[in-house]
Amino acid sequence: MKILFISHDATRTGAPISLLHIIRWFKNNTDYKFINILGRGGPLEAEFRELGETFIFEDIAKERMPWLQSILGKDPWRMLSYKSFLNKIEKFDPQLIYANSVASVDVLV
């Protein structure tokens, strides 16, 4: 089973913390493969990265929409081209997409 987990961010709030617990359970109790997508980074970002491959959608969007760079700033070490990102998700071919909250919808569209 391949799962794509999506969280709107990596802040110390209910939804991201709950998702971390869910991902930890899957990592410790199954052999499922998964990828994490975070709408934005935050203090829990390192914990998501420890559990599996993690992408920050805001960083990918900055490259796709250069005008956002002037508003959000640029963090080159986390940048990934949008096309490469889409190819990665397509090759991963998730059987389940788990969006942890309605706030994650922005990442899906």
Side-chain angles (χ1 to χ4, degrees), residues 18-89:
S18 295
L19 183 57
L20 275 172
H21 289 299
I22 291 167
I23 295 171
R24 274 194 198 101
W25 187 90
F26 275 100
K27 185 167 179 106
N28 293 329
N29 295 287
T30 72
D31 60 350
Y32 293 175
K33 295 178 180 10
F34 53 87
I35 290 178
N36 306 316
I37 301 176
L38 307 173
R40 289 179 303 281
L44 298 176
E45 185 179 328
E47 291 183 53
F48 278 99
R49 290 188 188 281
E50 286 174 12
L51 293 171
E53 190 169 18
T54 301
F55 298 98
I56 310 297
F57 189 75
E58 179 180 70
D59 294 342
I60 297 163
K62 282 192 285 188
E63 182 176 289
R64 184 172 181 223
M65 297 172 276
W67 58 270
L68 281 178
Q69 291 176 359
S70 61
I71 298 168
L72 301 173
K74 188 173 181 179
D75 195 353
W77 69 272
R78 291 194 309 189
M79 295 298 280
L80 175 69
S81 79
Y82 187 69
K83 185 176 180 182
S84 295
F85 169 71
L86 291 179
N87 286 340
K88 177 81 170 173
I89 300 304

Coordinates of all heavy atoms in Angstrom, one line a residue, residues 18-89:
S18 N -1.9 15.4 15.2 CA -2.6 14.1 15.0 C -2.1 13.3 13.8 O -1.9 12.1 13.9 CB -4.1 14.4 14.8 OG -4.7 15.0 15.9
L19 N -1.8 14.0 12.7 CA -1.2 13.4 11.5 C 0.1 12.7 11.9 O 0.4 11.6 11.4 CB -1.1 14.3 10.4 CG -0.6 13.7 9.1 CD1 -1.5 12.6 8.6 CD2 -0.5 14.8 8.0
L20 N 1.0 13.4 12.6 CA 2.2 12.8 13.0 C 2.0 11.5 13.7 O 2.7 10.5 13.5 CB 3.0 13.7 13.9 CG 3.9 14.8 13.1 CD1 4.5 15.8 14.1 CD2 5.0 14.1 12.3
H21 N 1.0 11.4 14.6 CA 0.7 10.2 15.4 C 0.3 9.1 14.4 O 0.7 7.9 14.6 CB -0.3 10.4 16.4 CG 0.1 11.2 17.6 ND1 1.2 10.9 18.4 CD2 -0.3 12.5 18.1 CE1 1.4 11.8 19.4 NE2 0.5 12.7 19.2
I22 N -0.5 9.5 13.4 CA -1.0 8.5 12.5 C 0.1 7.9 11.6 O 0.3 6.7 11.4 CB -2.1 9.1 11.6 CG1 -3.4 9.4 12.4 CG2 -2.4 8.2 10.4 CD1 -4.4 10.3 11.7
I23 N 1.0 8.8 11.2 CA 2.1 8.4 10.3 C 3.1 7.5 11.1 O 3.5 6.5 10.6 CB 2.8 9.6 9.7 CG1 1.9 10.4 8.8 CG2 4.1 9.2 9.0 CD1 2.5 11.7 8.3
R24 N 3.3 7.9 12.4 CA 4.2 7.1 13.2 C 3.6 5.7 13.4 O 4.3 4.7 13.4 CB 4.3 7.7 14.6 CG 5.4 8.7 14.7 CD 5.8 9.1 16.1 NE 6.5 10.3 16.1 CZ 6.0 11.5 16.4 NH1 4.8 11.6 16.8 NH2 6.8 12.6 16.3
W25 N 2.3 5.6 13.6 CA 1.7 4.3 13.7 C 1.9 3.5 12.5 O 2.3 2.3 12.6 CB 0.2 4.4 14.0 CG -0.4 3.1 14.3 CD1 -0.6 2.5 15.5 CD2 -0.9 2.2 13.4 NE1 -1.1 1.3 15.4 CE2 -1.4 1.0 14.1 CE3 -1.1 2.2 12.0 CZ2 -1.9 -0.1 13.5 CZ3 -1.6 1.0 11.4 CH2 -2.1 -0.1 12.1
F26 N 1.7 4.0 11.3 CA 1.9 3.3 10.0 C 3.3 2.9 9.9 O 3.6 1.8 9.5 CB 1.4 4.2 8.8 CG 0.0 4.0 8.5 CD1 -0.9 5.0 8.9 CD2 -0.5 2.9 7.8 CE1 -2.3 4.9 8.7 CE2 -1.9 2.8 7.6 CZ -2.8 3.8 8.0
K27 N 4.2 3.8 10.2 CA 5.7 3.5 10.1 C 6.1 2.3 11.0 O 6.8 1.4 10.6 CB 6.5 4.7 10.4 CG 8.0 4.4 10.1 CD 8.8 5.7 10.1 CE 10.2 5.4 9.9 NZ 10.7 5.8 8.6
N28 N 5.5 2.3 12.2 CA 5.9 1.3 13.2 C 5.1 0.0 13.1 O 5.6 -1.0 13.6 CB 5.7 1.8 14.7 CG 6.7 3.0 15.0 OD1 7.8 3.0 14.5 ND2 6.2 3.9 15.8
N29 N 4.0 0.0 12.4 CA 3.1 -1.2 12.4 C 2.8 -1.8 11.1 O 2.1 -2.8 11.0 CB 1.8 -0.9 13.1 CG 2.0 -0.6 14.6 OD1 2.3 -1.4 15.4 ND2 1.9 0.7 14.9
T30 N 3.3 -1.2 10.0 CA 3.1 -1.7 8.7 C 4.3 -1.6 7.8 O 5.3 -0.9 8.2 CB 1.9 -0.9 7.9 OG1 2.4 0.4 7.6 CG2 0.7 -0.7 8.8
D31 N 4.3 -2.1 6.7 CA 5.4 -1.9 5.7 C 4.9 -1.0 4.6 O 5.5 -1.0 3.5 CB 5.9 -3.3 5.2 CG 4.8 -4.1 4.5 OD1 3.6 -3.7 4.5 OD2 5.2 -5.1 3.8
Y32 N 3.9 -0.3 4.8 CA 3.4 0.7 3.8 C 4.4 1.7 3.5 O 5.2 2.1 4.3 CB 2.1 1.4 4.3 CG 0.9 0.5 4.5 CD1 -0.2 1.1 5.0 CD2 0.9 -0.8 4.1 CE1 -1.4 0.3 5.2 CE2 -0.2 -1.6 4.3 CZ -1.4 -1.1 4.8 OH -2.5 -1.8 5.0
K33 N 4.4 2.2 2.2 CA 5.3 3.3 1.8 C 4.4 4.6 1.8 O 3.2 4.5 1.6 CB 5.8 3.0 0.4 CG 6.7 1.8 0.4 CD 7.2 1.6 -1.1 CE 8.1 0.5 -1.3 NZ 8.4 -0.5 -0.3
F34 N 5.0 5.7 2.1 CA 4.3 6.9 2.1 C 5.1 8.1 1.9 O 6.4 8.1 2.0 CB 3.5 7.1 3.4 CG 4.3 7.0 4.7 CD1 5.0 8.1 5.2 CD2 4.4 5.8 5.3 CE1 5.7 8.0 6.3 CE2 5.2 5.7 6.5 CZ 5.8 6.8 7.0
I35 N 4.5 9.2 1.4 CA 5.1 10.5 1.2 C 4.3 11.5 1.9 O 3.0 11.4 1.9 CB 5.2 10.8 -0.3 CG1 6.2 9.9 -1.1 CG2 5.5 12.3 -0.6 CD1 6.3 10.2 -2.6
N36 N 4.9 12.5 2.5 CA 4.2 13.5 3.2 C 4.3 14.8 2.4 O 5.4 15.2 1.9 CB 4.9 13.8 4.6 CG 5.0 12.5 5.4 OD1 4.0 11.8 5.5 ND2 6.1 12.3 6.0
I37 N 3.2 15.5 2.3 CA 3.2 16.9 1.7 C 2.6 17.8 2.7 O 1.6 17.6 3.3 CB 2.3 16.9 0.4 CG1 2.8 16.0 -0.6 CG2 2.3 18.4 -0.1 CD1 2.0 15.9 -1.9
L38 N 3.4 18.9 3.0 CA 3.0 19.9 3.9 C 2.7 21.2 3.1 O 3.5 21.6 2.3 CB 4.0 20.2 5.0 CG 4.6 19.0 5.7 CD1 5.8 19.4 6.6 CD2 3.5 18.4 6.6
G39 N 1.5 21.8 3.4 CA 1.2 23.1 2.6 C 2.3 24.1 2.9 O 2.8 24.8 2.1
R40 N 2.7 24.2 4.2 CA 3.7 25.1 4.7 C 4.5 24.4 5.7 O 4.1 23.4 6.3 CB 3.1 26.4 5.3 CG 2.4 27.3 4.3 CD 1.8 28.5 5.0 NE 0.8 28.2 6.0 CZ -0.4 27.8 5.8 NH1 -0.9 27.7 4.6 NH2 -1.2 27.5 6.8
G41 N 5.7 24.9 5.9 CA 6.6 24.3 7.0 C 6.2 24.7 8.3 O 5.1 25.2 8.5
G42 N 7.0 24.5 9.3 CA 6.8 24.9 10.7 C 7.6 24.1 11.6 O 8.5 23.3 11.2
P43 N 7.4 24.3 12.9 CA 8.2 23.6 13.9 C 8.2 22.1 13.9 O 9.2 21.5 14.4 CB 7.6 24.1 15.3 CG 6.7 25.2 14.9 CD 6.4 25.1 13.5
L44 N 7.2 21.5 13.4 CA 7.1 20.0 13.3 C 7.7 19.4 12.0 O 7.7 18.2 11.8 CB 5.7 19.5 13.5 CG 5.0 19.9 14.8 CD1 3.6 19.4 14.8 CD2 5.8 19.2 16.0
E45 N 8.2 20.3 11.2 CA 8.7 19.8 9.9 C 9.8 18.8 10.0 O 9.7 17.7 9.3 CB 9.3 21.0 9.1 CG 9.7 20.8 7.7 CD 10.3 22.0 7.0 OE1 9.8 23.1 7.3 OE2 11.2 21.8 6.2
A46 N 10.7 18.9 10.9 CA 11.8 17.9 11.1 C 11.2 16.6 11.5 O 11.7 15.5 11.1 CB 12.8 18.4 12.1
E47 N 10.1 16.6 12.3 CA 9.5 15.3 12.7 C 8.9 14.6 11.5 O 8.9 13.4 11.4 CB 8.5 15.5 13.8 CG 9.2 15.9 15.1 CD 8.2 16.1 16.3 OE1 7.4 15.2 16.5 OE2 8.2 17.2 16.9
F48 N 8.2 15.4 10.6 CA 7.7 14.8 9.4 C 8.8 14.2 8.6 O 8.6 13.1 8.1 CB 6.9 15.8 8.6 CG 5.5 16.1 9.1 CD1 5.2 17.2 9.9 CD2 4.4 15.2 8.7 CE1 3.9 17.4 10.3 CE2 3.1 15.5 9.2 CZ 2.9 16.5 10.0
R49 N 9.9 14.9 8.4 CA 11.0 14.4 7.6 C 11.6 13.2 8.2 O 12.1 12.3 7.5 CB 12.1 15.5 7.5 CG 11.6 16.7 6.6 CD 12.7 17.7 6.3 NE 12.3 18.8 5.6 CZ 12.0 18.9 4.3 NH1 12.1 17.8 3.6 NH2 11.5 20.0 3.8
E50 N 11.7 13.1 9.5 CA 12.2 11.8 10.2 C 11.4 10.6 9.8 O 11.9 9.5 9.8 CB 12.3 12.0 11.7 CG 13.3 12.9 12.2 CD 13.3 13.2 13.7 OE1 12.5 12.5 14.4 OE2 14.0 14.1 14.1
L51 N 10.1 10.8 9.6 CA 9.2 9.7 9.3 C 9.2 9.3 7.9 O 8.8 8.2 7.6 CB 7.8 10.0 9.8 CG 7.7 10.2 11.3 CD1 6.3 10.7 11.7 CD2 7.9 8.8 12.0
G52 N 9.5 10.2 7.0 CA 9.5 9.8 5.6 C 9.8 11.0 4.7 O 9.9 12.1 5.2
E53 N 9.8 10.7 3.4 CA 10.1 11.8 2.4 C 9.0 12.8 2.5 O 7.8 12.5 2.5 CB 10.1 11.2 1.0 CG 10.6 12.1 0.0 CD 10.9 11.4 -1.3 OE1 10.4 10.3 -1.6 OE2 11.6 12.1 -2.2
T54 N 9.4 14.1 2.7 CA 8.5 15.2 2.9 C 8.7 16.3 2.0 O 9.9 16.8 1.8 CB 8.6 15.6 4.4 OG1 8.3 14.5 5.3 CG2 7.6 16.8 4.7
F55 N 7.7 16.9 1.4 CA 7.8 18.0 0.5 C 7.0 19.2 1.1 O 5.9 19.0 1.7 CB 7.2 17.7 -0.9 CG 8.0 16.6 -1.5 CD1 7.5 15.3 -1.5 CD2 9.2 16.9 -2.2 CE1 8.2 14.3 -2.2 CE2 9.9 15.9 -2.8 CZ 9.4 14.6 -2.8
I56 N 7.5 20.4 1.0 CA 6.8 21.6 1.4 C 6.2 22.2 0.2 O 6.9 22.8 -0.7 CB 7.7 22.6 2.1 CG1 8.5 21.9 3.2 CG2 6.9 23.8 2.7 CD1 7.8 21.3 4.3
F57 N 4.9 22.2 0.1 CA 4.2 22.7 -1.2 C 4.4 24.2 -1.4 O 4.6 24.6 -2.5 CB 2.7 22.4 -1.1 CG 2.0 22.7 -2.4 CD1 2.1 21.8 -3.4 CD2 1.2 23.8 -2.5 CE1 1.5 22.1 -4.6 CE2 0.6 24.1 -3.7 CZ 0.7 23.2 -4.8
E58 N 4.5 25.0 -0.3 CA 4.7 26.4 -0.4 C 6.0 26.7 -1.2 O 6.1 27.5 -2.0 CB 4.8 27.0 1.0 CG 5.0 28.5 1.0 CD 5.1 29.1 2.4 OE1 6.0 28.8 3.1 OE2 4.1 29.8 2.7
D59 N 7.1 25.9 -0.9 CA 8.4 26.1 -1.5 C 8.3 25.7 -3.0 O 8.9 26.4 -3.9 CB 9.4 25.2 -0.9 CG 9.7 25.6 0.5 OD1 9.4 26.7 0.9 OD2 10.3 24.8 1.3
I60 N 7.5 24.7 -3.3 CA 7.3 24.3 -4.7 C 6.5 25.3 -5.5 O 6.9 25.7 -6.6 CB 6.6 22.9 -4.8 CG1 7.5 21.9 -4.2 CG2 6.3 22.5 -6.3 CD1 6.8 20.6 -3.8
A61 N 5.5 25.9 -4.8 CA 4.7 26.9 -5.5 C 5.5 28.2 -5.7 O 5.2 28.9 -6.7 CB 3.5 27.2 -4.6
K62 N 6.4 28.5 -4.8 CA 7.2 29.7 -5.0 C 8.0 29.6 -6.3 O 8.2 30.6 -7.1 CB 8.2 29.9 -3.9 CG 7.6 30.5 -2.7 CD 8.6 30.9 -1.7 CE 9.3 29.8 -0.9 NZ 10.1 30.2 0.2
E63 N 8.5 28.4 -6.7 CA 9.2 28.2 -7.9 C 8.2 28.3 -9.1 O 8.5 28.9 -10.2 CB 9.9 26.9 -8.0 CG 10.7 26.7 -9.2 CD 11.5 25.4 -9.2 OE1 12.5 25.4 -8.5 OE2 11.1 24.5 -10.0
R64 N 7.0 27.7 -8.9 CA 6.0 27.7 -10.0 C 5.5 29.1 -10.3 O 5.2 29.5 -11.4 CB 4.9 26.8 -9.7 CG 3.9 26.6 -10.7 CD 2.9 25.5 -10.4 NE 1.9 25.4 -11.5 CZ 0.7 25.2 -11.3 NH1 0.1 25.2 -10.1 NH2 -0.2 25.1 -12.3
M65 N 5.3 29.9 -9.2 CA 4.8 31.2 -9.3 C 5.8 32.2 -8.8 O 5.8 32.6 -7.6 CB 3.5 31.3 -8.6 CG 2.4 30.4 -9.1 SD 0.9 30.3 -8.1 CE 1.4 29.1 -6.9
P66 N 6.8 32.7 -9.6 CA 7.9 33.5 -9.1 C 7.5 34.7 -8.4 O 8.2 35.2 -7.5 CB 8.6 33.8 -10.4 CG 8.2 32.8 -11.4 CD 6.9 32.4 -11.0
W67 N 6.3 35.3 -8.6 CA 5.9 36.5 -7.9 C 5.7 36.2 -6.4 O 5.8 37.1 -5.6 CB 4.6 37.1 -8.5 CG 3.5 36.1 -8.5 CD1 3.1 35.2 -9.5 CD2 2.5 35.9 -7.5 NE1 2.0 34.5 -9.1 CE2 1.6 34.9 -7.9 CE3 2.3 36.5 -6.2 CZ2 0.6 34.5 -7.1 CZ3 1.3 36.1 -5.4 CH2 0.4 35.1 -5.9
L68 N 5.5 35.0 -6.0 CA 5.4 34.6 -4.6 C 6.7 34.7 -3.9 O 6.8 35.0 -2.7 CB 4.9 33.2 -4.4 CG 3.4 33.0 -4.6 CD1 3.1 31.5 -4.4 CD2 2.6 33.8 -3.6
Q69 N 7.9 34.6 -4.7 CA 9.2 34.7 -4.0 C 9.4 36.0 -3.4 O 10.0 36.1 -2.3 CB 10.3 34.4 -5.1 CG 10.3 33.0 -5.5 CD 11.3 32.7 -6.6 OE1 12.0 33.7 -7.0 NE2 11.4 31.5 -7.0
S70 N 8.9 37.1 -4.0 CA 9.1 38.4 -3.4 C 8.3 38.6 -2.1 O 8.6 39.3 -1.2 CB 8.7 39.5 -4.4 OG 7.4 39.4 -4.8
I71 N 7.2 37.9 -2.0 CA 6.3 37.9 -0.8 C 6.8 37.0 0.2 O 6.9 37.4 1.4 CB 4.8 37.6 -1.2 CG1 4.3 38.7 -2.2 CG2 4.0 37.6 0.0 CD1 3.0 38.3 -2.9
L72 N 7.1 35.8 -0.1 CA 7.4 34.7 0.8 C 8.9 34.5 1.1 O 9.3 33.9 2.0 CB 6.8 33.4 0.4 CG 5.3 33.4 0.1 CD1 4.9 32.0 -0.5 CD2 4.6 33.6 1.4
G73 N 9.8 35.1 0.3 CA 11.2 34.8 0.4 C 11.5 33.5 -0.3 O 10.7 32.8 -0.9
K74 N 12.8 33.2 -0.4 CA 13.3 32.0 -1.1 C 14.2 31.2 -0.2 O 15.1 31.8 0.4 CB 14.0 32.5 -2.4 CG 14.3 31.3 -3.3 CD 14.9 31.9 -4.6 CE 15.2 30.7 -5.5 NZ 15.7 31.1 -6.8
D75 N 14.0 30.0 -0.1 CA 14.8 29.0 0.6 C 15.3 28.0 -0.3 O 14.7 26.9 -0.4 CB 13.9 28.4 1.8 CG 14.8 27.8 2.8 OD1 16.0 27.6 2.6 OD2 14.2 27.3 3.8
P76 N 16.4 28.2 -1.1 CA 16.8 27.4 -2.2 C 17.0 25.9 -1.9 O 16.8 25.1 -2.7 CB 18.1 28.0 -2.7 CG 18.1 29.4 -2.1 CD 17.3 29.3 -0.9
W77 N 17.5 25.6 -0.7 CA 17.8 24.2 -0.4 C 16.6 23.3 -0.4 O 16.7 22.1 -0.5 CB 18.7 24.1 0.9 CG 17.9 24.4 2.1 CD1 17.7 25.6 2.7 CD2 17.2 23.5 2.9 NE1 17.0 25.5 3.9 CE2 16.6 24.2 4.0 CE3 16.9 22.1 2.9 CZ2 15.8 23.6 5.0 CZ3 16.2 21.5 3.9 CH2 15.6 22.2 4.9
R78 N 15.4 23.9 -0.2 CA 14.2 23.1 -0.1 C 13.4 23.2 -1.4 O 12.4 22.5 -1.6 CB 13.3 23.6 1.0 CG 13.9 23.2 2.4 CD 12.9 23.4 3.4 NE 12.1 24.6 3.4 CZ 11.3 25.0 4.4 NH1 11.1 24.3 5.4 NH2 10.7 26.2 4.3
M79 N 13.9 23.9 -2.4 CA 13.2 24.1 -3.6 C 13.2 22.8 -4.5 O 14.2 22.1 -4.5 CB 13.8 25.3 -4.4 CG 13.6 26.6 -3.8 SD 11.9 27.1 -3.5 CE 11.5 27.7 -5.1
L80 N 12.1 22.5 -5.1 CA 12.0 21.4 -6.0 C 11.2 21.9 -7.1 O 10.1 22.5 -6.9 CB 11.4 20.2 -5.3 CG 11.1 19.0 -6.1 CD1 12.4 18.3 -6.4 CD2 10.2 18.0 -5.2
S81 N 11.6 21.6 -8.3 CA 10.8 22.1 -9.5 C 9.4 21.4 -9.4 O 9.2 20.3 -9.0 CB 11.4 21.8 -10.8 OG 11.2 20.4 -11.2
Y82 N 8.4 22.2 -9.8 CA 7.0 21.8 -9.8 C 6.8 20.5 -10.6 O 6.2 19.6 -10.2 CB 6.1 22.9 -10.2 CG 4.6 22.6 -10.1 CD1 4.1 22.5 -8.8 CD2 3.8 22.4 -11.2 CE1 2.7 22.2 -8.7 CE2 2.5 22.1 -11.1 CZ 1.9 22.0 -9.8 OH 0.6 21.8 -9.7
K83 N 7.4 20.5 -11.8 CA 7.3 19.4 -12.7 C 7.9 18.1 -12.1 O 7.4 17.0 -12.1 CB 8.0 19.7 -14.0 CG 7.8 18.6 -15.1 CD 8.3 19.0 -16.4 CE 8.1 17.8 -17.4 NZ 8.7 18.1 -18.7
S84 N 9.1 18.3 -11.5 CA 9.7 17.1 -10.8 C 8.9 16.6 -9.7 O 8.8 15.4 -9.4 CB 11.1 17.5 -10.2 OG 12.0 17.9 -11.3
F85 N 8.3 17.5 -8.9 CA 7.4 17.2 -7.8 C 6.2 16.3 -8.4 O 5.9 15.3 -7.8 CB 6.9 18.4 -7.1 CG 5.8 18.2 -6.1 CD1 6.0 17.5 -5.0 CD2 4.5 18.6 -6.4 CE1 5.0 17.3 -4.0 CE2 3.5 18.4 -5.5 CZ 3.7 17.7 -4.3
L86 N 5.5 16.8 -9.4 CA 4.4 16.1 -10.0 C 4.8 14.7 -10.5 O 4.1 13.7 -10.3 CB 3.7 16.9 -11.1 CG 3.0 18.2 -10.7 CD1 2.4 18.9 -11.9 CD2 1.9 17.8 -9.7
N87 N 6.0 14.7 -11.1 CA 6.5 13.4 -11.6 C 6.8 12.4 -10.5 O 6.5 11.2 -10.6 CB 7.8 13.6 -12.4 CG 7.6 14.2 -13.8 OD1 6.5 14.1 -14.3 ND2 8.6 14.8 -14.3
K88 N 7.3 12.9 -9.4 CA 7.6 12.1 -8.2 C 6.3 11.5 -7.7 O 6.2 10.3 -7.4 CB 8.3 13.0 -7.1 CG 8.5 12.3 -5.8 CD 9.8 11.5 -6.0 CE 10.2 11.0 -4.6 NZ 11.3 10.1 -4.7
I89 N 5.2 12.3 -7.5 CA 3.9 11.8 -7.0 C 3.3 10.8 -8.0 O 2.8 9.8 -7.6 CB 3.0 13.0 -6.7 CG1 3.6 14.0 -5.7 CG2 1.6 12.5 -6.3 CD1 4.0 13.3 -4.4

